[in-house]
């Protein structure tokens, strides 16, 4: 017998007929010999309707009363589904988040789960009942019984948290698509269904706007090793498995607010190559990295920064043994780039820096927590470590520093994030952590067919393609701050201020070009935030810029971020070149580039975002023969 948690979204329970269809599926699963907990969302557009009612009463409704109002949507669904199961002769009981014992922070509208009291839940399961749970909600404490809601994606979060707390065999997420697709089927009808995907890959895709799973749910699955499968509510297709590595034995207390960082990693076997003042036009990155790929030079971090005028800087890191080859490629291609630029402007220049190290913090708990990156930067500043490059992803923040400061940086970060020496991920010469084969094959995926009691997916998927999915984010804005003093503490100050205002940052790019103004070396820094935070962030930073000695703060809201994700790109030097070439063929100019081990992101003009996604999806041959239509 398996203990299964199933979650059904709003469209899956959007009518009486659909609730009855869900009841039939649940009944069939129980009759196959399984125990079941079912987590449901509010019916259809119920939540939208409740929000509309509230705004008709008040333009800025009280958050506590909004939680009280919105929590009623799921209560309707659990009662109706429980009744439908009872009509089939299946014992069932409906329970609110408070009745289940989902204890959260005292934060209305965006609470995180602290722990789940499973005693009552387990008793009903042992009595043979299907427990139908209201997703999206909990209570701040057993005594006060203040109703809280978990925010967007809260039902996914509830389901995976309950599966973790009960140590369920697996968790099924039922939705209106057949699983996880290579991209949004509303933009590419031939998007292909994946058999399996790793939690790390899914975290990146979920954070980039893939709406099938919320990042918080994937984070819990990753941290506690909960096997997840995403399936269609309308078919019996096997869906997509989301796999995770062996869990680290985390406590179920403070379930969602446990320490955000699991490891401090470092790589001292690194060198940096930068091309300064390259033309700001389509095809430049494609030409550079196409030649790098042809010469079999494997690149780790890539950044392209934003500058005033018509030129950019592109920098990348490589392992020390292949530095000479990388430098030769960059030096050979620089004249061709110079010939394209304005002859009156400064010429493209190759800059090579030896004796650097990459220091990273890693952990799924940093999602949506703006203070984590700021804490890393502040820690390095306090240790007197200057940051030369920054690269961010959902599960890792990496900084390039001087090699002679590496030990000091690692020790400071390990202390700040309370990482024991045995937990630290360390890599030196010959143990590359980059896209260059150091971990190739270590993050495999598997295809698993549904069965009443499946084994947890763990075997690697053969012939894993380098890119699993392409995502487009049209909800970001870019802020650039000109002429920040180039000294320890500037990044900490900047991102600390943003964290204090609860503004999360995505891409962070620090320019390679340094200007000396009044005897002070200065660099530009650019970063992306949610578009709704753009104006507030600009206003706040402009107010402090003068007193901190910063230059102009520039906001651009007309941008799009297109990204490729795939654990298989490790050790595949041609992946970035293929992405850049696909954009160049469509005459799409790349404004910013940032990479992590399993993701490459480019910022382009907003009006070119959809075309960019479609071009990249086609370039990596991710389309399938079947067309998927998302139900209304």
């Amino acid at each position: 017998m398996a203990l299964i948690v199933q979650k059904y979204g709003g469209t899956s329970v959007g009518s009486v007929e659909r609730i009855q269809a869900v009841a039939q599926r649940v009944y069939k699963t129980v009759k196959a010999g399984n125990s079941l907990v079912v987590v449901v969302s509010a019916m259809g557009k119920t939540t939208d309707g409740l929000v509309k009612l509230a705004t008709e009463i008040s333009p800025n409704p009280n958050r506590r009363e909004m939680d009280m109002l919105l929590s009623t949507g799921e209560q309707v669904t659990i009662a109706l589904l429980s009744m439908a199961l009872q009509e089939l002769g299946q014992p069932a009981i409906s329970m609110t988040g408070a009745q289940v014992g989902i204890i959260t922070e005292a934060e209305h509208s965006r609470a995180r789960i602290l722990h789940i009291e499973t005693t009552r839940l387990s008793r009903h399961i042992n009595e043979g009942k299907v427990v139908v749970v209201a997703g999206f909600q909990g209570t701040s404490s057993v005594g006060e019984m203040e109703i809280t809601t978990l925010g967007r994606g809260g039902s996914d979060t509830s389901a995976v948290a309950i599966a973790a707390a009960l140590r369920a065999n697996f968790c099924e997420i039922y939705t209106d698509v057949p699983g996880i697709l290579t991209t949004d089927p509303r933009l590419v009808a031939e998007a292909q269904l994946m058999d399996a995907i790793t939690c790390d890959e899914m975290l990146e895709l979920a954070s980039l706007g893939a709406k099938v799973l919320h990042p918080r749910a994937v984070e819990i699955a990753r941290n506690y090793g909960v096997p997840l499968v995403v399936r269609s509510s309308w078919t019996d297709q096997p869906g997509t498995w989301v796999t995770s590595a062996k869990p680290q034995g985390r406590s179920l207390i403070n379930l969602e607010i446990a320490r955000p960082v699991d490891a401090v990693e470092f790589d001292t076997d690194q060198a940096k190559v930068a091309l300064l003042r390259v033309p700001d036009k389509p095809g430049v990155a494609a030409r550079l990295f196409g030649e790098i790929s042809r010469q079999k030079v494997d690149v780790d971090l890539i950044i392209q920064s934003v500058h005033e005028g018509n030129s950019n800087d592109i920098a990348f890191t490589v392992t020390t043994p292949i530095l000479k080859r990388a430098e030769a490629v960059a030096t050979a291609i620089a004249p061709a780039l110079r010939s394209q630029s304005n002859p009156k402007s400064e010429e493209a220049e190759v800059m090579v820096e030896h004796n650097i190290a990459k220091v990273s913090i890693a952990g799924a708990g940093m999602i949506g927590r703006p203070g984590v990156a700021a804490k890393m930067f502040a820690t390095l500043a306090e240790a007197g470590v200057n940051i030369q490059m920054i690269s961010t992803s959902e599960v890792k923040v990496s900084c390039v520093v001087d090699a002679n400061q590496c030990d000091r940086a690692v020790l400071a970060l390990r202390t700040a994030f309370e990482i024991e020496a045995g937990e630290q991920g360390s890599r030196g010469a010959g143990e590359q952590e980059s896209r260059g084969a150091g971990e190739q094959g270590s993050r495999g995926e598997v295809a698993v067919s549904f069965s009443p009691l499946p084994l947890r997916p763990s075997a690697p998927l053969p012939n894993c393609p380098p890119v699993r999915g392409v995502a487009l984010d049209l909800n970001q804005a870019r802020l650039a701050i000109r002429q920040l003093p180039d000294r320890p503490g500037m990044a900490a100050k900047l991102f600390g201020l943003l964290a204090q205002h609860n503004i999360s940052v995505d891409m962070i790019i620090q320019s390679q070009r340094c200007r000396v103004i009044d005897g002070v070396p200065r660099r530009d820094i650019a970063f992306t935030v949610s578009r709704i935070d753009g104006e507030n962030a600009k206003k706040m930073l402009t107010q402090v810029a003068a007193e901190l000695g910063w230059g102009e703060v520039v906001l651009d809201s007309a941008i799009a971020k297109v990204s490729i994700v795939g654990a298989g790109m490790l050790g595949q030097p041609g992946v970035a070149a293929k992405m850049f070439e696909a954009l160049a063929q469509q005459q799409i100019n790349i404004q910013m580039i940032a990479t992590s081990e399993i993701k490459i992101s480019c910022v382009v003009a907003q009006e070119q975002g959809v075309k960019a996604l479609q071009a990249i999806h086609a370039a990596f041959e991710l389309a399938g023969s079947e067309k998927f239509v998302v139900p209304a």
Side-chain angles (χ1 to χ4, degrees):
M1 176 186 290
L3 173 56
I4 304 170
V5 176
Q6 294 183 342
K7 178 263 177 177
Y8 293 90
T11 54
S12 303
V13 291
S15 66
V16 168
E17 293 75 20
R18 289 183 176 182
I19 288 173
Q20 289 171 330
V22 167
Q24 289 285 353
R25 185 185 289 269
V26 171
Y27 181 70
K28 181 179 177 182
T29 306
V30 174
K31 289 304 175 187
N34 302 294
S35 297
L36 234 65
V37 174
V38 180
V39 178
V40 293
S41 300
M43 294 175 64
K45 302 291 185 181
T46 298
T47 301
D48 292 341
L50 293 172
V51 170
K52 185 173 183 294
L53 285 173
T55 54
E56 287 174 0
I57 296 289
S58 168
N60 187 26
N62 178 276
R63 282 168 53 190
R64 178 192 183 275
E65 302 310 328
M66 281 299 291
D67 277 3
M68 186 69 74
L69 175 66
L70 297 182
S71 65
T72 63
E74 282 72 21
Q75 291 179 47
V76 172
T77 315
I78 60 173
L80 293 174
L81 180 54
S82 186
M83 292 175 193
L85 286 165
Q86 291 166 12
E87 284 297 304
L88 295 173
Q90 171 59 48
I93 184 170
S94 61
M95 298 178 72
T96 66
Q99 289 172 322
V100 167
I102 298 177
I103 309 301
T104 74
E105 299 172 305
E107 282 281 345
H108 289 292
S109 81
R110 58 184 183 210
R112 289 181 178 267
I113 297 172
L114 300 180
H115 64 279
I116 300 177
E117 303 283 357
T118 58
T119 305
R120 186 176 178 187
L121 193 56
S122 297
R123 185 176 77 246
H124 288 307
I125 293 169
N126 293 334
E127 290 170 353
K129 296 175 184 175
V130 171
V131 184
V132 185
V133 178
F136 177 67
Q137 61 181 251
T139 181
S140 61
S141 71
V142 177
E144 294 182 1
M145 296 297 288
E146 280 290 306
I147 292 174
T148 55
T149 63
L150 308 182
R152 191 172 69 85
S155 293
D156 285 355
T157 305
S158 300
V160 182
I162 288 171
L166 291 173
R167 293 181 171 82
N169 293 83
F170 57 97
C171 179
E172 296 178 315
I173 305 292
Y174 284 92
T175 183
D176 50 12
V177 291
I180 298 164
L181 303 174
T182 51
T183 196
D184 188 338
R186 291 165 297 188
L187 301 178
V188 180
E190 298 81 9
Q192 190 172 349
L193 180 67
M194 291 184 249
D195 293 325
I197 187 170
T198 66
C199 271
D200 281 354
E201 291 170 322
M202 192 65 236
L203 277 169
E204 300 286 11
L205 287 172
S207 67
L208 292 167
K211 297 176 181 177
V212 178
L213 278 174
H214 194 273
R216 281 171 64 183
V218 185
E219 175 190 350
I220 296 169
R222 181 184 188 268
N223 287 342
Y224 292 94
V226 177
L228 275 179
V229 60
V230 179
R231 306 181 67 192
S232 169
S233 300
W234 323 116
T235 72
D236 290 324
Q237 292 179 2
T240 304
W241 282 94
V242 183
T243 70
S244 55
K246 186 177 179 180
Q248 300 177 356
R250 284 173 175 258
S251 168
L252 288 163
I253 303 299
N254 292 331
L255 192 143
E256 274 202 281
I257 63 167
R259 68 182 190 193
V261 174
D262 294 325
V264 176
E265 302 172 350
F266 66 92
D267 185 354
T268 55
D269 188 26
Q270 294 256 314
K272 179 176 70 178
V273 179
L275 274 81
L276 310 184
R277 294 181 291 276
V278 299
D280 183 18
K281 60 189 294 183
V284 171
R287 191 166 183 179
L288 170 62
F289 288 97
E291 186 59 33
I292 286 172
S293 172
R294 282 187 287 276
Q295 298 300 322
K296 306 298 183 186
V297 174
D298 202 12
V299 172
D300 184 2
L301 301 182
I302 303 171
I303 68 164
Q304 177 180 304
S305 49
V306 175
H307 280 288
E308 300 167 271
N310 61 349
S311 69
N312 283 324
D313 297 345
I314 299 178
F316 56 92
T317 62
V318 295
T319 54
T320 303
I322 61 172
L323 172 60
K324 288 186 178 179
R325 200 165 5 133
E327 183 180 0
V329 173
T331 302
I333 201 168
L337 298 180
R338 290 170 189 152
S339 66
Q340 298 175 24
S341 59
N342 185 342
K344 296 182 180 180
S345 67
E346 297 177 272
E347 292 187 333
E349 175 189 349
V350 178
M351 180 177 72
V352 176
E353 188 160 351
H354 305 261
N355 302 318
I356 63 167
K358 183 176 71 172
V359 180
S360 308
I361 55 172
M366 61 181 70
I367 295 171
R369 301 182 201 182
V372 176
K375 183 176 180 179
M376 179 186 192
F377 303 150
T379 300
L380 293 177
E382 289 166 8
V385 176
N386 198 35
I387 300 169
Q388 300 180 23
M389 293 173 69
I390 300 169
S391 177
T392 59
S393 78
E394 287 306 317
V395 294
K396 185 173 287 190
V397 180
S398 298
C399 294
V400 170
V401 302
D402 283 338
N404 60 11
Q405 296 181 324
C406 180
D407 289 347
R408 195 191 326 160
V410 170
L411 180 61
L413 291 171
R414 204 172 67 197
T415 301
F417 289 103
E418 300 177 1
I419 304 297
E420 299 294 331
E423 299 171 293
Q424 179 186 335
S426 59
R427 292 176 174 86
E431 294 181 286
Q432 184 183 350
E433 183 222 7
S434 70
R435 190 172 288 109
E439 294 180 351
Q440 187 178 7
S442 67
R443 304 190 207 186
E445 300 83 31
V446 294
V448 179
S449 299
F450 174 78
S451 63
L453 183 57
L455 294 173
R456 183 171 167 208
S458 58
L461 189 71
N463 303 316
C464 175
V467 174
R468 307 302 311 283
V470 185
L472 176 67
D473 190 342
L474 293 169
N475 296 309
Q476 293 210 356
R478 179 181 62 228
L479 284 148
I481 303 179
R482 309 296 186 192
Q483 302 170 14
L484 261 76
D486 184 28
R487 57 173 178 257
M490 283 296 103
K493 175 69 73 174
L494 168 58
F495 295 104
L497 284 167
L498 292 167
Q500 287 171 23
H501 288 77
N502 202 33
I503 296 173
S504 292
V505 175
D506 184 13
M507 295 173 69
I508 303 173
I509 304 293
Q510 183 171 272
S511 72
Q512 295 305 296
R513 210 179 306 178
C514 198
R515 305 176 186 176
V516 178
I517 301 174
D518 297 329
V520 179
R522 297 172 180 270
R523 296 181 191 269
D524 297 344
I525 194 163
F527 53 92
T528 59
V529 298
S530 173
R531 187 170 296 161
I532 61 173
D533 290 329
E535 288 291 349
N536 288 338
K538 180 185 177 182
K539 183 178 178 182
M540 181 267 293
L541 293 173
T542 300
Q543 289 172 347
V544 301
E547 79 178 78
L548 294 174
W550 300 349
E552 182 186 12
V553 180
V554 182
L555 173 66
D556 184 357
S557 296
I559 65 165
K561 185 180 76 171
V562 63
S563 306
I564 57 175
V565 173
M569 66 176 69
L570 292 164
Q572 299 285 338
V575 173
K578 182 180 284 191
M579 179 183 189
F580 303 153
E581 179 60 31
L583 295 176
Q585 288 177 0
Q586 297 297 319
Q587 289 298 299
I588 297 173
N589 194 36
I590 301 172
Q591 300 178 15
M592 293 170 69
I593 300 170
T595 67
S596 70
E597 281 82 359
I598 65 170
K599 180 175 74 173
I600 303 173
S601 295
C602 295
V603 168
V604 300
Q606 184 181 31
E607 68 270 15
Q608 295 181 310
V610 172
K611 184 165 72 169
L613 176 137
Q614 292 169 341
I616 293 167
H617 194 269
F620 285 99
E621 301 178 352
L622 295 177
S625 57
E626 184 179 355
K627 291 188 177 183
F628 293 103
V629 178
V630 179

